[in-house]
Structure formats: structure tokens, C-alpha cells
């Protein structure tokens, strides 16, 4: 969402660098074998999710801990090593729209006046953990307890999931922020385990941090706090840097094949799908790879479902209408697609300490970049939003709160010390307050546009945004709450003048207009946070839940030899940022595989 394309024009998208070892392959013909115990498939849209993306790299690492098992990772994207637009935390989702993004789009969204939205997905070894905002939130106790209820499996409950949460990350000190208060002791929401992802509180202070904190204290009911972010040491900590690169030279039982797409799974016998066809170009040769134990799909809520559908696993009527022979009739594949809507409000401010000057001045930009390159410090060592807040909203008349419980939020505020948008204005200083809906009711679906050319053909992605009226009303309330927040003393008290001067752009018209003006503002400007989930949702298998795709152990229903481990298995969207919950389900899922196969 930052002005990534203008930043990348400053040559931050460095040449792709090979890791230089025998375990990384760029051609299926060079693989030492075509049969492995486990094959992990990723790269087909990840979300903060997917493999050799977020979840898949976790799976590959943990499975290959058992030296008696051979593991192959098949990744459609590129090697992410050495790409500054990925490594620099401040660039956040900087690679969006570049060669390391799948560059998907939605179908026209009726709720957004038929606008078509971008669907950024990581096209590199770090998957969408290379594109996400690096915000680290666990989700609530209610969230995981709801998953245990939906699956009728207590191993998904909050208490049961905590050991897996602890395996994921380690809290490390900030690199360049002397103003942070000490973290509260024994806080279960802190990333205080001993896992490989390095998580930190903000690495560099901004001018608005304590304005947000003090404003929240004044209002009492507004809950804000300093972000945790996966930027330990001032550099993006991703599933690639934490789970894959450290082991790729040291485990002879692990091979990684990049720049190769999974085209479809093939049925080997009696509902068993342990073979996959892969290709490197539309008209290139197909290579068949086989798993003796399981194939694990970790390609995210877009990629995993597309592969299932292309393989004949999905709604029978839809598949046959597309000319795809139905192998397993699973009506829920591709359904239940949900993302977090977000709307940006921007204000001109009286401060000259925003980051706007750095983004529009090449000399200041280069100075800031050099500091990051040499010391991993300064503005570029942290993400754009140091402070966030989560809110509950009053229940609308006759409407039930769609969140998973009283401890789960409805809306989120993200505060940015500058202009967070497509193009920074040539003058002025700005504050951006993003209002996100983290408990939306609207749902969409993913379907095939065509079975021709397999995964080289983009699927049809329909988020169904604002198809449920509750979402629009909730966003309207979120905008009202944001105004209340910015009327607190830290923003309005003269010193010598108020911090906020005025709203800018479309928000200026909407803020000072009618309810209809605000509705138009939302429909014309709303985007998403790039958190797609749910298209292979796990469930108990009850007849009352016919759209479940995976069981409580993440196995595809009615299929042998196939599991899904990524954000597509979430029954409902987490009321938080996704990467930490995805890492957690990946650790839980891979332990299930180990238990099922008696692995070390």
C-alpha cells in the first residue's frame, strides 16, 4: 500500500541471487529423483501463507528434521535472497506489482461500484511473508476456541495451541528505539517463545507514537498498543529467512525446486492423490512427481483451491460445466473466501517530522537507505505503522456480532506517520489512519476461469465485498470512531497549533458531508488488507456443515494422501493480522503429520 512502484524505480529490486547449493533446483529434470516421501506444493498465491511461502517452509523444515524422510518443496516463484524491496521493513508491501508478485486481480466487485482490486500474492521463496506488513498478532482466545468448536477437536483450542505458538518466534530487542516502555511481564500475547521468526517492538520511533498511546488513555475505551513486527535486527524475518535458508545446505533429505508450477494433482488409485504434474511454461513439458506418503498443499487460499479444482476435487456441477472431470465431489472448495476490508483516511498535519520528505527527496531517501544498509537502523528498519488499535463496535439493531467472541475485535486502526497511498504529494505533511474491518460478514468464492493451461491461467477471484450490509455499517461506525479518536487532546491541543490541520482528498468531502457521501467514499476507495482465507475450510464433517473441505487434521475430505496447510483452512477469518496464526497452524499441522506417520 506504500508507494512501492516509485520506490522500486530507485533500483531497490536487486537482481535475484542464487543460493549456490545442490539442494536448490531451477529445472525439474535436474532433480536427483522423482519420488519423495513428502512433496510440499506452494507459490500459488499465498497470503501470509503458503509455501515455500509462510506455511510451506515451516512444513518443509519440520518434516526434514527426520533424516529418514525425503522432502521436496515445489515453488512457482523466485529466490527472494538479496531483494531489498523485500528485506527492508519500511517498504512493507513494497514488492507488490513487481516480478515477485503474482499480480492477480478480482472480478468486478458490485459492492464497490464494480471496481477491480489487486490481489497481491508472493511469488518468491518467502511467499506472501515477503509481501505482508510484518505486523505480528496472535488472535484471541475466542478465535482458537471457535476453531475447536467448529472442528469438534479440542487440539485447536487456545490452551492446546499455545505450545505451537511458542515454537514459531522469539522476541528480540528493537534496534534503534530508546523510547519504548518495557514489555509487560508474562504477557501471553507477546511473542516470547524460542522459534526462528525474529519478532520485535518497533525498531525506530515516529512522531505520532505517543500521541496515539496518550489519546487511547484519554478515551479509555480505545485499545491501542505498540506493534510487534517480524523485523528482528532491522530486517524482514520471513519463513524463507527463518525456516528454509538456514537448513537448505545442511539437510541432504531436502530438495527445493523453484520457478516451477504445480499444474494439477493426479489420482494414483481409489481416491489417492499422491502425484503432481509440474511445468515451467504454458507449452513446456510436464514432469510427474510422486509422494510415497503425502502431498501437502501450502499455496494459500487462492493457489491451493485452484490446484484442487484443476485436479477434479471440488463442486461436481461446476467442474463438469468447465470440462474438468469430477474426481471427488467437494462442494466447499473455493467457497467461503473472505478478506479484511480497509479504508484509508488522510489528514494534513502541522508537523514536519513525518516521513513524507524522505519519500519525495532522493537525497534523503538515499541517506536513509545507506543507514539501513550499513547498520540496519533508522526509519527503514521499522514498518510504517508503529502503533495499532483494535475496537469493538455496538451491535447493530437485530444483528449478531460476527466476531468469534467478546475478546475478538470488529475494527482495527493502523496509524502511519505520513502519506500512505499511491503517490506522495509534492508538498505538505500527513497522517494516515487506516480503518480495517477485521470481522466481516461478506463472503466470496474462487472458481476456475478456464482449465486451459492449468495454473498459468489466473483463477476467478470474487471477494463479495460489502455483499452483506453489516460490513458497510461497521465501516461507517469505524470511521466515526476514528474521528472520535482524533478529537482527543494529543491531536487537537495547540502546541503552538493543533497537530491535525484538515482531512485531504476524497476523505475531506466525505468527512464533512452526509451519510451518503461517506458510503460513496467507502465504495469508491475501499480495498483489502490482502488476507484471503477460508477456501478449504476445516470442519467436523457434520451434515449441517456441507462446505467443509478439510478435517480437523487438515486432510482433504474423501481423499487419501493429501493435506492442506495454509490460511485456506481457517473456518472464519482471524480478527487480526494473519501471518502469526498461519505460522501457528503450520506448526500444529506438521506435528499432526509427524504423529500420523510415527516420525521423529
Amino acid at each position: 500500500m506504500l508507494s512501492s512502484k516509485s520506490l522500486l524505480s530507485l533500483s531497490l529490486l536487486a537482481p535475484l541471487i542464487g543460493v549456490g547449493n545442490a539442494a536448490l533446483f531451477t529445472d525439474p529434470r535436474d532433480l536427483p529423483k522423482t519420488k519423495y516421501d513428502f512433496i510440499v506444493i506452494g507459490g500459488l498465491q499465498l497470503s501470509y501463507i503458503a509455501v515455500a511461502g509462510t506455511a510451506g517452509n515451516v512444513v518443509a523444515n519440520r518434516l526434514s528434521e527426520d533424516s529418514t524422510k525425503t522432502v521436496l518443496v515445489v515453488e512457482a516463484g523466485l529466490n527472494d535472497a538479496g531483494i531489498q524491496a523485500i528485506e527492508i521493513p519500511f517498504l512493507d508491501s513494497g514488492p507488490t506489482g513487481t516480478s515477485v508478485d503474482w499480480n492477480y486481480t478480482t472480478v468486478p466487485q458490485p459492492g464497490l461500484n464494480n471496481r477491480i482490486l489487486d490481489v497481491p500474492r508472493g511469488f518468491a521463496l518467502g511467499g506472501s511473508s515477503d509481501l505482508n506488513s510484518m505486523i505480528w498478532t496472535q488472535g484471541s482466545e475466542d478465535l482458537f476456541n471457535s476453531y475447536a468448536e467448529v472442528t469438534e477437536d479440542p487440539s485447536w483450542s487456545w490452551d492446546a495451541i499455545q505450545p505451537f505458538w511458542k515454537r514459531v518466534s522469539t522476541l528480540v530487542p528493537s534496534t534503534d528505539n530508546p523510547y519504548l516502555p518495557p514489555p509487560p511481564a508474562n504477557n501471553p500475547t507477546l511473542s516470547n517463545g524460542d522459534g526462528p521468526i525474529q519478532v520485535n517492538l518497533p525498531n525506530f520511533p515516529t512522531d505520532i507514537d505517543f500521541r496515539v498511546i496518550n489519546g487511547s488513555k484519554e478515551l479509555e475505551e480505545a485499545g491501542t498498543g505498540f506493534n510487534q513486527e517480524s523485523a528482528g535486527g532491522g530486517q524482514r524475518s520471513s519463513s524463507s529467512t527463518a525456516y528454509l535458508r538456514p537448513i537448505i545446505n545442511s539437510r541432504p533429505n531436502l530438495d527445493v525446486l523453484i520457478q516451477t508450477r504445480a499444474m494439477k494433482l493426479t489420482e494414483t488409485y481409489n481416491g489417492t492423490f499422491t502425484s503432481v504434474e509440474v511445468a515451467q511454461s504454458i507449452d513446456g513439458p510436464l514432469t510427474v512427481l510422486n509422494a510415497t506418503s503425502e502431498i501437502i498443499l501450502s499455496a494459500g487460499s487462492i493457489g491451493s483451491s485452484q490446484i484442487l479444482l484443476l485436479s477434479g476435487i471440488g463442486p461436481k456441477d461446476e467442474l463438469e460445466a468447465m470440462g474438468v472431470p469430477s474426481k471427488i465431489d467437494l462442494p466447499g472448495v473455493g467457497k467461503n473466501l473472505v478478506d479484511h476490508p480497509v479504508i484509508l483516511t488522510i489528514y494534513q498535519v502541522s508537523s514536519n517530522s513525518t516521513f513524507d520528505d524522505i519519500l519525495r527527496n532522493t537525497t534523503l531517501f538515499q541517506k536513509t537507505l545507506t543507514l539501513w544498509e550499513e547498520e540496519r537502523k533508522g526509519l527503514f528498519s521499522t514498518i510504517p505503522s508503529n502503533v495499532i488499535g483494535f475496537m469493538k463496535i455496538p451491535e447493530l439493531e437485530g444483528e449478531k456480532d460476527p466476531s468469534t467472541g467478546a475478546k475478538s475485535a470488529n475494527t482495527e486502526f493502523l496509524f502511519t506517520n505520513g502519506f500512505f497511498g499511491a503517490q506522495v504529494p509534492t508538498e505538505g505533511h500527513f497522517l494516515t489512519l487506516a480503518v480495517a474491518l477485521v470481522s466481516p460478514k461478506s463472503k466470496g468464492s474462487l472458481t476456475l476461469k478456464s482449465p486451459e493451461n492449468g495454473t498459468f491461467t489466473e483463477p476467478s477471484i470474487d471477494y463479495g465485498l460489502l455483499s452483506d450490509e453489516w460490513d458497510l455499517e461497521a465501516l461507517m461506525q469505524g470511521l466515526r470512531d476514528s474521528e472520535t479518536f482524533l478529537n482527543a487532546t494529543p491531536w487537537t491541543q495547540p502546541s503552538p497549533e493543533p497537530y491535525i490541520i484538515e482531512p485531504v482528498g476524497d476523505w475531506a468531502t466525505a468527512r464533512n458531508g452526509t451519510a451518503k457521501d461517506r458510503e460513496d467514499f467507502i465504495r469508491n476507495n475501499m480495498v483489502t488488507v490482502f488476507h484471503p482465507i477460508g477456501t478449504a475450510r476445516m470442519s467436523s464433517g457434520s451434515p449441517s456443515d456441507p462446505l467443509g473441505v478439510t478435517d480437523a487434521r487438515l486432510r482433504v475430505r474423501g481423499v487419501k494422501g493429501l493435506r492442506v496447510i495454509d490460511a485456506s483452512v481457517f473456518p472464519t477469518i482471524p480478527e487480526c493480522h494473519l501471518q502469526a496464526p498461519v505460522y501457528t497452524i503450520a506448526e500444529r499441522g506438521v506435528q499432526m503429520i509427524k504423529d500420523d506417520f510415527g516420525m521423529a
Side-chain angles (χ1 to χ4, degrees):
M1 297 168 66
L2 200 59
S3 180
S4 58
K5 294 181 182 178
S6 60
L7 296 180
L8 293 177
S9 69
L10 298 173
S11 300
L12 288 178
L13 195 57
L16 299 174
I17 300 171
V19 235
N21 62 79
L24 183 69
F25 298 91
T26 59
D27 190 325
R29 294 171 294 186
D30 294 334
L31 288 172
K33 51 183 172 288
T34 59
K35 184 175 292 187
Y36 293 79
D37 290 301
F38 297 96
I39 298 176
V40 186
I41 298 173
L44 293 166
Q45 189 266 319
L46 333 209
S47 156
Y48 296 8
I49 292 166
V51 93
T54 310
N57 286 336
V58 177
V59 174
N61 179 302
R62 298 307 190 193
L63 287 180
S64 63
E65 289 174 338
D66 187 331
S67 61
T68 68
K69 303 296 183 182
T70 55
V71 180
L72 172 67
V73 172
V74 179
E75 164 58 43
L78 307 167
N79 179 18
D80 59 351
I83 303 176
Q84 285 188 336
I86 288 175
E87 294 176 343
I88 296 174
F90 184 75
L91 296 189
D92 199 48
S93 53
T96 299
T98 71
S99 61
V100 291
D101 179 9
W102 280 86
N103 293 305
Y104 287 157
T105 58
T106 67
V107 300
Q109 297 293 288
L112 305 186
N113 295 327
N114 288 320
R115 287 190 297 126
I116 294 173
L117 302 188
D118 292 334
V119 183
R121 300 295 91 204
F123 191 73
L125 271 177
S128 290
S129 67
D130 281 342
L131 291 190
N132 67 39
S133 63
M134 288 177 271
I135 295 175
W136 194 261
T137 50
Q138 184 181 14
S140 74
E141 180 178 345
D142 290 337
L143 174 71
F144 286 96
N145 286 341
S146 76
Y147 292 169
E149 182 177 354
V150 166
T151 60
E152 298 181 5
D153 185 341
S155 71
W156 287 108
S157 69
W158 171 264
D159 290 339
I161 210 74
Q162 292 310 299
F164 302 99
W165 163 251
K166 298 290 187 182
R167 290 183 190 180
V168 173
S169 64
T170 299
L171 187 67
V172 299
S174 299
T175 60
D176 195 14
N177 194 344
Y179 304 110
L180 284 174
N186 301 318
N187 186 336
T189 65
L190 285 176
S191 177
N192 53 357
D194 58 357
I197 299 292
Q198 293 196 341
V199 173
N200 53 282
L201 292 170
N203 282 321
F204 187 76
T206 74
D207 190 44
I208 64 171
D209 294 352
F210 281 96
R211 291 183 187 273
V212 176
I213 297 299
N214 293 334
S216 179
K217 290 178 179 177
E218 179 179 315
L219 296 174
E220 294 183 351
E221 293 184 1
T224 64
F226 286 98
N227 264 332
Q228 293 180 77
E229 55 192 58
S230 52
Q235 179 170 323
R236 182 188 293 267
S237 182
S238 70
S239 68
S240 175
T241 65
Y243 279 93
L244 191 61
R245 289 190 213 166
I247 64 169
I248 202 167
N249 284 316
S250 61
R251 294 187 184 171
N253 61 327
L254 172 66
D255 290 334
V256 179
L257 174 63
I258 64 173
Q259 301 174 30
T260 304
R261 303 195 187 201
M263 301 293 277
K264 68 175 182 178
L265 309 169
T266 56
E267 186 176 20
T268 48
Y269 58 91
N270 296 332
T272 300
F273 286 74
T274 50
S275 293
V276 57
E277 295 179 0
V278 303
Q280 294 190 300
S281 64
I282 292 177
D283 54 358
L286 291 174
T287 300
V288 178
L289 302 171
N290 299 284
T292 59
S293 294
E294 277 191 350
I295 288 178
I296 299 97
L297 283 179
S298 294
S301 292
I302 308 301
S304 289
S305 296
Q306 184 186 22
I307 293 172
L308 288 173
L309 293 171
L310 289 168
S311 307
I313 303 171
K316 180 178 180 180
D317 292 345
E318 290 182 17
L319 291 176
E320 292 182 344
M322 294 293 296
V324 177
S326 175
K327 302 292 186 180
I328 304 291
D329 185 13
L330 267 183
V333 175
K335 308 305 186 234
N336 194 53
L337 178 61
V338 186
D339 201 348
H340 286 143
V342 64
I343 188 79
L344 303 184
T345 65
I346 302 177
Y347 297 82
Q348 187 173 4
V349 298
S350 59
S351 170
N352 60 4
S353 298
T354 67
F355 59 59
D356 300 296
D357 289 333
I358 292 174
L359 296 188
R360 60 190 169 211
N361 183 305
T362 55
T363 301
L364 289 175
F365 186 96
Q366 187 57 50
K367 181 179 178 180
T368 308
L369 175 61
T370 299
L371 176 61
W372 180 85
E373 290 175 330
E374 294 179 351
E375 302 183 40
R376 296 298 193 264
K377 291 184 177 181
L379 177 67
F380 283 5
S381 69
T382 201
I383 65 175
S385 296
N386 276 0
V387 185
I388 58 174
F390 289 97
M391 306 277 288
K392 294 293 284 189
I393 63 175
E395 289 189 19
L396 301 175
E397 185 176 353
E399 295 282 351
K400 181 181 178 183
D401 179 359
S403 72
T404 51
K407 298 177 182 178
S408 296
N410 297 120
T411 56
E412 177 189 12
F413 293 165
L414 297 99
F415 302 85
T416 302
N417 188 42
F419 190 96
F420 199 67
Q423 185 64 50
V424 179
T426 56
E427 58 184 25
H429 296 89
F430 303 92
L431 163 75
T432 302
L433 199 171
V435 179
L437 177 58
V438 294
S439 64
K441 281 190 173 183
S442 299
K443 295 181 181 181
S445 63
L446 178 139
T447 56
L448 298 178
K449 283 184 180 176
S450 168
E452 298 298 320
N453 301 321
T455 51
F456 285 94
T457 298
E458 180 178 338
S460 179
I461 302 168
D462 181 5
Y463 283 143
L465 295 167
L466 300 188
S467 57
D468 191 297
E469 189 69 19
W470 190 92
D471 292 359
L472 178 63
E473 294 299 322
L475 283 166
M476 296 277 275
Q477 181 63 48
L479 289 176
R480 291 190 289 270
D481 291 341
S482 73
E483 292 178 89
T484 299
F485 193 92
L486 293 182
N487 278 322
T489 302
W491 310 102
T492 59
Q493 180 176 338
S495 58
E497 56 185 325
Y499 186 83
I500 294 177
I501 299 174
E502 61 183 358
V504 300
D506 291 347
W507 174 230
T509 302
R511 184 175 183 265
N512 298 319
T514 64
K516 180 62 166 58
D517 292 328
R518 293 188 176 216
E519 177 181 334
D520 290 343
F521 171 69
I522 291 172
R523 293 190 188 277
N524 290 329
N525 293 277
M526 193 189 89
V527 291
T528 71
V529 190
F530 315 144
H531 290 167
I533 66 97
T535 55
R537 65 187 296 269
M538 58 180 172
S539 73
S540 67
S542 165
S544 63
D545 186 7
L547 296 183
V549 175
T550 49
D551 65 15
R553 300 190 71 78
L554 308 183
R555 297 169 298 202
V556 177
R557 294 193 176 280
V559 178
K560 299 175 184 177
L562 182 60
R563 229 176 276 241
V564 180
I565 302 180
D566 57 35
S568 66
V569 304
F570 286 132
T572 57
I573 194 164
E575 298 95 348
C576 63
H577 291 255
L578 291 195
Q579 65 162 335
V582 169
Y583 280 113
T584 304
I585 67 163
E587 288 281 9
R588 178 72 188 99
V590 78
Q591 187 61 52
M592 289 174 171
I593 296 174
K594 286 186 167 186
D595 292 344
D596 288 349
F597 287 92
M599 296 171 60

